[in-house]
Amino acid sequence: MPLSPFDFQQARVKQVLFKSRLRSVLYGVREAEPALFAYAENPLGQWIQTVLKPEFGNQPAVRELENTLQHMLSTGQDLANRYQRGLIEEARAGLDQVNAFADQIETQLLSLESSL
């Protein structure tokens, strides 16, 4: 079954969810749970594994998307670690890096959506 624009919209929402949760960590609203940074437990990672990869996993663009998400998650984990070590302003300033990865992911999703 071909992917619809709704499928890609779901992926975008999942990415925003991660950024929102990370921001909550860096502003002291919630604790940094290890699951937040685990690819297998990340909603977008799960979407890639269950929706995108079964049909299109052999495409380089899918692997690129996976790599970008993994970089975003590891950057988020680094920022959470900095926050926990008391480097609060430095951690919050790092959100720009996460936003840059999010922009890359958006571009990759648009590219995949138009090519499928």
Side-chain angles (χ1 to χ4, degrees), residues 76-96:
Q77 186 170 31
D78 178 58
L79 296 178
N81 290 339
R82 289 179 194 198
Y83 178 85
Q84 289 172 339
R85 291 192 319 261
L87 303 170
I88 295 169
E89 291 306 314
E90 185 179 310
R92 290 177 183 166
L95 284 170
D96 288 341

Side-chain angles (χ1 to χ4, degrees), residues 26-47:
L26 299 182
Y27 282 87
V29 176
R30 68 174 12 180
E31 291 294 315
E33 301 167 8
L36 179 61
F37 309 107
Y39 181 86
E41 296 182 49
N42 176 272
L44 181 56
Q46 291 172 344
W47 180 84

Side-chain angles (χ1 to χ4, degrees), residues 18 36-39 42 68-77:
F18 169 75
L36 179 61
F37 309 107
Y39 181 86
N42 176 272
T68 304
L69 175 58
Q70 288 173 338
H71 287 301
M72 185 170 77
L73 294 175
S74 66
T75 299
Q77 186 170 31

